Amino acid sequence: MQPYHYYLAEYQNMDPKDISRRLGIPYDENTRLFLVKFMEKNYTVSYPDLEIHCQDEEEGQAVLCDDIHAKVLLLRYFTEGDYMDATGNLLSYRDLPWGEVYYRQFYGRCIMRLARMFGNRLDAFKNIMEKLKGAPRNYGDAAYEFQFLENLKLCFVLWAGDEEYPASAQILFFG
């Protein structure tokens, strides 16, 4: 809970209009609500108390409403994120400005987890990506592009494992 409380305090000390301008996220000064799209679902996020409500489905089904890790991710995005116009290029985590510093952690916690969970279960991966409204792409054995946060698209790529090679994966960012 320590990171949550740290980033919540940072968020509460920021000007919501600056957050809105910096990230290109709508903010209503009258209701004190941000309108955020996360994983194809629309949310309202209150300022400064961070009450989150999903506009598209029941709160118990909406990851931002219940998952502390998702809330920390959102808080970090609000406090540290920057909007940049997309160039259309696909970038690996290592290609991002800070990527080399945290690459080992990202590789182990995200890329390898994706490969272990779905590298030999491509049908399950495809079903999940289609539920997220992912668009199929012609990379690897299965790949999908989807909107993760406002102005941030990701592409998950899988190569199925076999008796000779283990499954592998890549997570690409649209830069």
Side-chain angles (χ1 to χ4, degrees), residues 39-41 113-114 116-119 121-136 142-147 156 158:
M39 302 287 287
E40 295 297 330
K41 293 184 180 15
R113 184 174 288 174
L114 179 63
R116 281 191 305 272
M117 288 181 72
F118 297 107
R121 301 174 43 226
L122 294 181
D123 287 338
F125 173 73
K126 290 176 183 178
N127 287 337
I128 290 170
M129 288 293 118
E130 288 167 11
K131 285 180 183 175
L132 292 174
K133 298 181 174 79
Y144 285 83
E145 169 190 323
F146 62 97
Q147 188 85 25
F156 284 6
L158 282 172

Side-chain angles (χ1 to χ4, degrees), residues 39-124:
M39 302 287 287
E40 295 297 330
K41 293 184 180 15
N42 295 296
Y43 293 87
T44 58
V45 179
S46 68
Y47 178 85
D49 54 349
L50 197 77
E51 283 188 28
I52 301 172
H53 298 284
C54 185
Q55 305 300 298
D56 301 330
E57 67 183 4
E58 294 180 32
E59 307 273 317
Q61 303 294 317
V63 69
L64 266 183
C65 295
D66 295 325
D67 187 289
I68 191 71
H69 300 97
K71 288 180 181 181
V72 170
L73 178 81
L74 182 68
L75 283 168
R76 289 194 68 182
Y77 182 63
F78 279 177
T79 58
E80 299 173 355
D82 272 320
Y83 173 82
M84 44 188 262
D85 288 324
T87 63
N89 296 329
L90 290 172
L91 304 171
S92 74
Y93 191 85
R94 200 175 243 160
D95 295 329
L96 299 173
W98 64 88
E100 198 60 47
V101 175
Y102 294 109
Y103 182 75
R104 272 187 51 210
Q105 292 83 351
F106 183 78
Y107 180 79
R109 291 180 179 173
C110 301
I111 294 173
M112 287 307 298
R113 184 174 288 174
L114 179 63
R116 281 191 305 272
M117 288 181 72
F118 297 107
N120 293 312
R121 301 174 43 226
L122 294 181
D123 287 338

